[in-house]
Amino acid sequence: MDVRQFLLDAPETCPVTCYDLLLHTKDGSVHHLEDYNEISEVANITSGGCSLEMVAALYDDRSIRAHVHRTRELLSLSTLHSSLSTTLALQHEMSRNASANSNSGEAGKAKVAEVEKLGFMENDTDSLPNFFSSPSKEIKCVESIVFSSFNPPPGHRRLYGDLIYLDVVTLEGNKHCVTGSTKSFYVNSTTGNILDPRPNKAASEATTLVALLQKISPKFKKAFREILERKASAHPFENVQSLLPPNSWLGLYPVPDHKRDAARAENALTISFGSELIGMQRDWNEELQACREFPHTTHQERILRDRALYKVSSDFVEAATNGAIGVISRCIPPINPTDPECFHMYVHNNIFFSFAVDTDVEQLPQKLALEELSKVETTGTSQNPSDKKENNLPNGSLKVSTLDGSSVPHAEKALSSDVPAEAQLAESEQATYASANNDLKGTKAYQEADVPGLYNLAMAIIDYRGHRVVAQSVLPGILQGDKSDSLLYGSVDNGKKICWSEDFHSKVLEAAKRLHLKEHSVVDGSGNVFTLAAPVECKGIVGSDDRHYLLDLMRATPRDANYTGAGSRFCILRPELITAFCHAEASEKSNSGCVSEGENPSDSSGASNAEELVIVEENTATATIDAQDSMDGEKQKIQECCSHSESKATKEMLFNPNVFTEFKLAGNTEDIAADEENVRNASLYLKDVVLPKFIHDLSSLEVSPMDGQTLTEALHAHGINVRYIGKVAEETKHMPHLWDLCSNEIVVRSAKHIIKDTLRDTEDHDLGHTVSHFFNCLLGKVQGVSAKDVPNSTLSKNPKKGHSGNHASGKSSKGQDKLGKGGYARKKQSLYLSITSESLWTDIKEFARLKYQFELPEDARERVKKIAVIRNLCQKVGITIAARKYDFNAVAPFQVSDILNIQPVVKHSIPVCSEAKDLIETGKVQLAEGMLSEAYVLFSEAFTILQQVTGPMHREVANCCRYLAMVLYHAGDMSGAIMQQHKELIINERCLGLDHPDTAHSYGNMALFYHGLSQTELALRHMSRALLLLSLSSGPDHPDVAATFINVAMMYQDIGKMDTALRYLQEALNKNERLLGKEHIQTAVCYHALAIAFNCMGAFKLSHQHEKKTYDILVKQLGEDDSRTKDSQNWMKTFKTRELQMNAQKQKGQALDSASAQKAIDLLKAHPDLIQAFQAAAAKAGGSGGSANQSSNGAGETLPRGRGFDERAAKAAAEIRKKAAAKGLLIRPQVGPTQALQPLTQLLNIVNSGSTPAPVNEAIDEGKREYSGDISNGVKGPEDQAPVGLGSGLAAKKTKTKSKPTS
């Protein structure tokens, strides 16, 4: 198979699909290779002298269609996803060749304008039209290839081997009818409407369609060669298909013309919602469980098993997504059509679908639900398949809420339990959505526990057009209704009757140990006591394949004791928190029992102090992957540690999942109290330790999320549920960017529930109108109909349903659609029109108060970041809008034509390779300790494993590439670093999205590496793209934007454009002071960068003043003994010495050179903005003494960020140049900056002291020397770089985000 894959990608053999492989060995024997043969098993090929031969095989119906499909694919460039970075590099290469004669200084100046026009990103709506790079020109090879209307071949032609007929129109305008037979393709003699099967007189015949077309059309031959060249010039990763590409929230504007394409139409008409057209349907469950049973003792076996699991799971998710679209579009009939529509279930392509939707109890009469129930109960033991489905299908009850929001059988609780009806109503929508989420999390947890003999179903959740569909693989035997006693463990009726089996219990207990769940006793409705090791409502079922399946894992972790009121039934703790808490308890018990397990000293040093125990990667710049990585890695470490210390602290390690629930617990009261206390302690740990630590990390920029998605990932990585986001927002009011981030996320999440409700009740023809109207209400000023005429805000009318956020007045259940179509449908047409800006924002504020305990301010509507909010909402709901400039001051900024698409949003549990993750974690530790070669080996090995398991298009592969780039960069191999970084960038663009913060950081890192190779023009283009992407995800007000500005300034400084550099530095300083406060370490970084810039220009007095500010902040934040504070002190001395030297020169009586003074005056006239920059700088430096004590953020010991590797670049320049020269890379002559700096230096010398300037080159060289710092003292890793000299202390340690490659 690997050989076939290689031949499929190779340009010479890519059109050939149907062939056999023959292996010729040295001794002359010939072996026929089967698809799944290992070549080594057939013959020994290591001695050489062997060859492989491709022999054309016979086509059949299936393979000839696959061949036509493959040919169409080859002739289109749609499979090539070229990255902007590749395009930039190619353009740069071409322009460099073109302007080889002009000097690089001019090229630099020409380029500079492009980045400057960003204008510090005041208006982020301007960046939308620039989001897409211009699409590459499509190359046309043939007018059309379609299946002819002569198909299928008549019976007598089948006997001659005819399989299909194709109509081909070539670029020359000739029409041909082509016969595809078992042996070859040939042009037949048909001209009119009657088939003439004889071969054409020209007798063109070939084994592949491409070869035939090359014979009959010269233009095809030329164009096909161009296509292959274009694909060959691209990066290999750009040709690879991404398995589950992210939805883009922006679409091309103006919308591209939709052209005729018969091939596309044929593919669409044969759509089968994910199932195979020809041949057997896949048995997803059997495939998945068989893969889980693969042996996994050796390294190679584990890779094969992981690869198989990954492939099957990915294919399942893709098929489930297509099937869910079919279900929601009503293209797939239900298996229980007589039930109300909201209870419908569907089986398609061996996947089971059910809705997780709130059935609106007030509209669907209660009687109906009770009738359903009585039906379920009376058919208790009969072989009625519908009964079996209700009880035992995946998810037992299929998350369709009736009265309490979890499932049909659960509705019995409404009759028997003491929970008041109102509380149950309030729970309904939240419960179905939450229980589906929790079930997915639980399934994932049990999959990772990987207990032999205990199985889970494949599962995915698809949100589309307001509906949530749960897709699962079909449990064997459930649809046939056999094995009426198949429930062996747990309960289908909420604890009234509990089943138990020894065999099952032993397996569940094994899993429970790995998931920190405790074995405990529960009483059922009849008073019998059972010992369980799982939540009561889980269901253990034996399928007809005799495997033990565990379903309905909604509570694989205990309840959150901080949320126990009505409506919080599904508020459970996150698994990350449980792990961290167990770790904290264990290390407290055994007082460093885990330290010896090889953890980072940084973690273990504070092991006994609970505050220190929430594990966060030291250098997480973006909370995205890094936080995820670090948490995952820590999780594994923690689990190992826990298992070692378990004997000492067993009681603290395990939690009872059924405390704080309605189930009766057996056993003595002390045990139950102790179990409750355990869960309470974990919940308190979350509230009192984890949350404050997370908020501190946010304030100190240890974790720096850019948008809603990265904020959510950061919260989850720390084990914090999103319901705590209101508390995070309250605590970060002093940091404007964090408060904006949290409150915007709350607004978006509240709006998401309302728009989903509205979409669910919208007919297809109204979808565009509904979405544009909703967006206009959210961000425009829609007055709408007067409030009297339309009952709009359901929240105010209907307090008891407040919690579930059911707005959008006449919201029908799907069930009622059938009950009363007539007049009701007419009333519904204008439903979305009843929303106005006023009512929508009232609902959003109410929802935020109920769900997140957060009071949005009165002016929330004006304060939200428009672009960030619309981007976030589109991503959460799957909407695509046109990438044009929107006027958000208009009454209605959005037109119907701006809404381009609605796509499904998918959650899944595709497994990742744990072995590679462990390697990455170890590699990170090595990198932190500066052991570059060891780290390189580990990351490369992880990369190889992941390539084999997931293929290149995966987040984890991007991670590997990022770390590899960092290792190479630290080792001084810039071009190697660029290669790896380029891979990361391509993967991020394809797997995370074009404007994901990680993609922006990839562009930032690329820029720094290019700058290290002195290709500053190219670097600035990448910086420009990074800033554009950052402005979309976070808006202009974010510390990461300021850090990027510092990097841009350093690049300008290096090509001698000091005026631009100063403007960027000044802007970065303003941002940091505004966002972080005047005494934040990041602000000190800005002052230091300004000091360096003034030093390069010879303005030593200003340098000294700015460095003094840096020093003051560092003393306050880090204390005088910190190495960075000492570095700053050394810099101050240096600047002072320089200033004194200049004054001494002045006293020697060196006269002022009048010409240079005149030059300075001219320069100032030409650049008035420069005067302002100087004045501002002088004012800041002079007048800042008093303001130093105003605002302290308690920033703790942050590693400051800002200028990254630029200063190292200066130091490492010589070696890099040598390497670059050896590899034939461009090296920019160093004269540019010097010449450009001359007049400025003189001007500043005048500003300083009125003395004659020192020889310019000398000043610059010294500046460079100082500026590069003394970095050669052993390269340390990104986590704890602490070289001496200030370049190091302040500058090298600093950037977590961009300035140094994101770690």
Side-chain angles (χ1 to χ4, degrees), residues 392-686:
N392 287 348
L393 257 168
N395 272 343
S397 47
L398 307 176
K399 316 271 180 357
V400 180
S401 65
T402 42
L403 297 168
D404 78 322
S406 39
S407 51
V408 178
H410 286 180
E412 295 170 33
K413 192 176 86 179
L415 313 177
S416 62
S417 82
D418 313 325
V419 183
E422 285 190 16
Q424 292 173 346
L425 290 178
E427 270 181 12
S428 70
E429 181 192 22
Q430 180 207 2
T432 46
Y433 269 58
S435 63
N437 268 342
N438 290 351
D439 194 7
L440 183 65
K441 273 187 287 198
T443 306
K444 222 172 180 168
Y446 275 89
Q447 274 173 359
E448 281 168 10
D450 206 6
V451 173
L454 189 63
Y455 297 89
N456 301 98
L457 299 174
M459 179 178 178
I461 297 172
I462 297 96
D463 288 310
Y464 182 57
R465 291 192 184 180
H467 297 279
R468 169 163 281 192
V469 168
V470 179
Q472 290 170 305
S473 55
V474 178
L475 187 70
I478 210 106
L479 295 172
Q480 288 71 42
D482 55 355
K483 285 205 156 191
S484 52
D485 57 345
S486 61
L487 181 75
L488 294 186
Y489 197 78
S491 165
V492 282
D493 51 10
N494 246 29
K496 283 176 141 183
K497 175 171 183 289
I498 295 176
C499 303
W500 193 85
S501 105
E502 178 60 53
D503 188 21
F504 222 115
H505 181 67
S506 61
K507 290 177 177 139
V508 175
L509 187 58
E510 179 57 37
K513 281 179 188 157
R514 299 180 192 187
L515 298 174
H516 307 294
L517 293 179
K518 181 180 176 182
E519 191 177 21
H520 57 281
S521 305
V522 186
V523 186
D524 72 358
S526 323
N528 307 321
V529 175
F530 294 95
T531 307
L532 296 178
V536 173
E537 74 272 17
C538 79
K539 295 160 192 60
I541 295 177
V542 174
S544 55
D545 55 357
D546 284 334
R547 292 190 179 106
H548 290 65
Y549 292 91
L550 196 60
L551 317 174
D552 279 13
L553 303 164
M554 267 92 81
R555 292 188 302 108
T557 48
R559 273 286 292 269
D560 183 348
N562 302 328
Y563 283 80
T564 49
S568 53
R569 182 163 178 265
F570 285 98
C571 294
I572 59 174
L573 298 170
R574 290 193 64 85
E576 297 91 338
L577 179 88
I578 296 296
T579 315
F581 178 66
C582 294
H583 181 49
E585 289 292 298
S587 50
E588 225 165 79
K589 275 268 183 241
S590 54
N591 204 13
S592 80
C594 291
V595 176
S596 57
E597 295 303 326
E599 272 202 292
N600 291 351
S602 63
D603 292 337
S604 51
S605 57
S608 55
N609 169 4
E611 287 285 337
E612 295 295 319
L613 284 158
V614 185
I615 320 293
V616 189
E617 190 185 11
E618 277 197 356
N619 233 357
T620 327
T622 49
T624 35
I625 300 186
D626 297 329
Q628 206 78 39
D629 281 355
S630 62
M631 266 336 255
D632 291 347
E634 297 297 352
K635 237 190 308 187
Q636 283 150 4
K637 264 187 232 161
I638 293 167
Q639 276 162 352
E640 289 161 24
C641 298
C642 292
S643 56
H644 286 286
S645 2
E646 219 159 290
S647 51
K648 297 181 186 173
T650 315
K651 278 187 182 157
E652 284 72 22
M653 304 308 288
L654 302 175
F655 297 89
N656 179 340
N658 293 315
V659 293
F660 300 120
T661 57
E662 65 275 16
F663 306 118
K664 284 193 194 139
L665 297 172
N668 61 35
T669 44
E670 285 95 49
D671 281 358
I672 296 174
D675 285 351
E676 289 188 355
E677 189 55 33
N678 259 354
V679 174
R680 241 186 237 110
N681 287 343
S683 306
L684 284 174
Y685 178 72
L686 168 59

Side-chain angles (χ1 to χ4, degrees), residues 1030-1043:
L1030 290 176
S1031 75
L1032 289 178
S1033 56
S1034 67
D1037 289 335
H1038 195 282
D1040 283 12
V1041 175

Side-chain angles (χ1 to χ4, degrees), residues 363-395:
Q363 293 191 347
L364 185 70
Q366 246 177 15
K367 195 177 65 179
L368 199 72
L370 298 182
E371 275 170 23
E372 287 301 308
L373 268 176
S374 59
K375 229 190 289 174
V376 172
E377 283 171 24
T378 49
T379 53
T381 50
S382 75
Q383 288 297 308
N384 175 342
S386 120
D387 165 40
K388 291 297 299 174
K389 271 169 246 142
E390 298 291 55
N391 279 351
N392 287 348
L393 257 168
N395 272 343

Side-chain angles (χ1 to χ4, degrees), residues 88 113 172 313 727 845 930 1032 1067 1112:
L88 287 176
E172 289 85 354
S313 310
K727 292 194 170 57
K845 286 174 182 168
L1032 289 178
E1067 187 64 23
D1112 292 344

Side-chain angles (χ1 to χ4, degrees), residues 726-765:
K727 292 194 170 57
V728 176
E730 292 295 338
E731 296 296 319
T732 50
K733 276 194 170 153
H734 61 289
M735 309 278 274
H737 73 281
L738 291 174
W739 192 87
D740 279 346
L741 191 62
C742 295
S743 57
N744 286 350
E745 181 68 2
I746 290 173
V747 167
V748 168
R749 282 173 177 268
S750 308
K752 176 185 76 171
H753 285 276
I754 304 171
I755 192 171
K756 279 186 169 176
D757 276 355
T758 317
L759 284 176
R760 208 160 39 234
D761 296 326
T762 303
E763 297 300 333
D764 287 6
H765 55 264

Side-chain angles (χ1 to χ4, degrees), residues 904-930:
V905 178
V906 187
K907 294 181 175 181
H908 53 71
S909 61
I910 295 181
V912 283
C913 175
S914 52
E915 199 164 334
K917 272 193 157 173
D918 295 343
L919 286 170
I920 294 177
E921 285 311 310
T922 326
K924 274 156 65 174
V925 175
Q926 304 279 22
L927 179 55
E929 291 167 4

Side-chain angles (χ1 to χ4, degrees), residues 34 142 328 419 757 812 900 1190 1243 1271 1299:
E34 296 294 332
V142 62
I328 292 166
V419 183
D757 276 355
S812 77
L900 302 182
Q1190 282 170 9
L1243 163 72
I1271 307 222
S1299 38

